[in-house]
């Protein structure tokens, strides 16, 4: 049987570092390929690194089919769950995977609701694929525990705190590609990256290019500017500005307050996370 490597699936999860790949290769050369490659029809789902190493050295390997896969979404969800259970992932990587899972689950629920309401017709479920381009199937029912609608549920799925999820969401939404790459590489902490992500994209990129120390300093400047930010001025009474209504001023004041509250919430989340890290380090020091 010819195994098909789908490049989209291969790139769906963060690749191994060169050091991790070398360690896996040494292990397979010494002990053989112990874990079976997971297939969907002839498409390789799990084991891309093992498959490549076995092909390179002409080593034997085993394969197994997963009969529960009905669509590419099923494959993605399975891959996410498999990797969320691995200890080698960083906190940021687990958070990104959990957010990705929430998005898939939300889209699936929305489609199911549309089908149940009669807005769209239910798609037919095809058989397992024999080629890479497999048609999409009707999604399988989602168990209640798969609901990731709250940050608390999302945090549990990723083994993170709710405050960490908030920070990772901010980085994902506002972070420049250079900043995201720095977080993935471990150059900057999640807390610092979330602060830097509030800066314009050009400033984020410049800080990331300058290295870890500049990223720390940029995060420090952001936090200090939040602490020094003046409170919004109260809106003047309507009779103090003849011929004008106070509605635009009031709206500006509310917007300023909302922005200030959001900044304080993010700062509090970062401080809580730093405190938790310090406590964990202290506990580890005492136990050792």
């Amino acid at each position: 049987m010819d195994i098909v490597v789908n490049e989209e699936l291969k790139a769906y999860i963060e690749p191994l570092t060169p050091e991790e790949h070398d360690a896996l290769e040494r292990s397979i050369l010494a002990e053989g390929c112990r874990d079976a490659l997971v297939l969907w029809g002839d498409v390789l789902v799990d084991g891309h690194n093992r498959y490549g190493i076995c092909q390179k050295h002409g080593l034997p390997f085993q394969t197994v089919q997963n009969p529960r896969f009905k669509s590419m979404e099923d494959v993605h969800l399975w891959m996410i769950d498999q990797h969320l259970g691995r200890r080698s992932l960083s906190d940021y990587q687990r958070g990104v995977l959990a957010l990705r899972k929430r998005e898939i689950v939300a889209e699936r629920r929305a489609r199911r609701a549309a089908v149940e309401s009669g807005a769209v017709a239910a798609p037919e479920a095809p058989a397992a694929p024999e080629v890479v381009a497999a048609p999409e199937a009707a999604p399988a029912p989602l168990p209640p525990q798969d609901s990731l609608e709250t940050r608390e549920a999302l945090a549990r799925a990723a083994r993170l705190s709710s405050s960490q999820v908030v920070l990772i969401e901010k980085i994902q939404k506002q972070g420049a590609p250079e900043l995201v790459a720095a977080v993935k590489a471990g150059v900057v902490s999640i807390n610092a990256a979330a602060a830097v992500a509030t800066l314009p994209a050009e400033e984020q990129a410049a800080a990331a290019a300058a290295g870890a120390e500049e990223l720390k300093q940029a995060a420090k400047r952001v936090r200090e500017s939040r602490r020094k930010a003046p409170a919004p001025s109260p809106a003047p009474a309507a009779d103090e500005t003849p011929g004008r209504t106070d509605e635009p001023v009031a709206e500006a004041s509310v917007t300023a307050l909302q922005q200030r509250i959001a900044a304080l919430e993010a700062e509090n989340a970062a401080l809580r996370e730093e405190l938790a890290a310090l406590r964990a380090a202290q506990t580890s020091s005492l136990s050792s």
Side-chain angles (χ1 to χ4, degrees):
M1 170 182 167
D2 293 330
I3 293 178
V4 176
V5 175
N6 184 316
E7 293 300 326
E8 184 270 338
L9 284 180
K10 184 178 179 180
Y12 194 70
I13 302 296
E14 287 291 322
L16 297 179
T17 64
E19 293 77 14
E20 291 170 337
H21 188 277
D22 289 344
L24 176 62
E25 185 170 19
R26 289 193 298 270
S27 174
I28 291 177
L29 288 173
E31 304 176 15
C33 187
R34 295 177 297 177
D35 298 324
L37 310 182
V38 179
L39 303 178
W40 179 32
D42 57 358
V43 178
L44 180 60
V45 172
D46 184 61
H48 290 88
N49 294 294
R50 284 173 279 138
Y51 177 65
I53 292 170
C54 289
Q55 290 289 92
K56 175 182 176 182
H57 297 284
L59 299 175
F61 55 84
Q62 295 181 333
T63 64
V64 62
Q65 291 283 339
N66 190 323
R68 294 190 300 170
F69 296 153
K70 303 299 181 183
S71 70
M72 189 62 76
E73 280 187 349
D74 291 337
V75 174
H76 288 163
L77 289 171
W78 183 87
M79 292 175 72
I80 290 171
D81 286 340
Q82 291 296 305
H83 283 77
L84 281 175
R86 296 177 180 175
R87 297 182 179 180
S88 59
L89 292 183
S90 67
D91 289 346
Y92 181 77
Q93 288 172 322
R94 287 200 306 275
V96 170
L97 287 176
L99 290 169
R100 194 176 294 173
K101 179 175 181 178
R102 182 180 68 178
E103 182 179 348
I104 295 173
V105 171
E107 291 177 354
R108 178 171 286 189
R109 292 187 186 280
R111 287 202 305 273
R112 181 174 292 108
V115 170
E116 291 175 352
S117 66
V120 298
E124 296 182 0
E130 296 181 357
V131 294
V132 176
E136 293 295 322
L142 291 175
Q145 61 266 29
D146 270 353
S147 176
L148 299 174
E149 296 175 357
T150 66
R151 284 200 177 100
E152 290 74 17
L154 197 67
R156 286 194 299 271
R159 304 199 309 277
L160 301 171
S161 66
S162 296
S163 60
Q164 284 177 306
V165 171
V166 172
L167 299 177
I168 293 172
E169 281 186 293
K170 176 180 287 188
I171 297 169
Q172 285 291 97
K173 292 178 181 178
Q174 301 175 225
E178 296 84 356
L179 177 63
V180 173
V183 182
K184 289 181 179 179
V187 174
V188 61
S189 69
I190 293 174
N191 291 338
V196 177
T198 62
L199 297 172
E202 297 79 5
E203 294 184 34
Q204 296 182 42
E213 187 58 35
E214 177 56 29
L215 284 168
K216 291 180 182 178
Q217 292 302 318
K220 182 178 180 181
R221 289 193 295 270
V222 170
R223 290 165 182 159
E224 288 177 348
S225 67
R226 288 172 180 167
R227 296 189 184 102
K228 296 177 182 178
S233 301
D239 58 354
E240 294 178 2
T241 54
R244 293 183 59 185
T245 174
D246 64 346
E247 291 183 358
V249 178
E251 291 177 1
S253 177
V254 170
T255 300
L257 284 171
Q258 291 173 338
Q259 292 174 345
R260 178 60 176 162
I261 290 171
L264 289 172
E265 288 178 345
E267 183 178 347
N268 287 337
L271 291 173
R272 286 196 299 271
E273 184 59 27
E274 290 176 0
L275 179 59
L278 289 172
R279 287 175 176 171
Q282 185 180 19
T283 301
S284 176
S285 177
L286 293 174
S287 62
S288 61

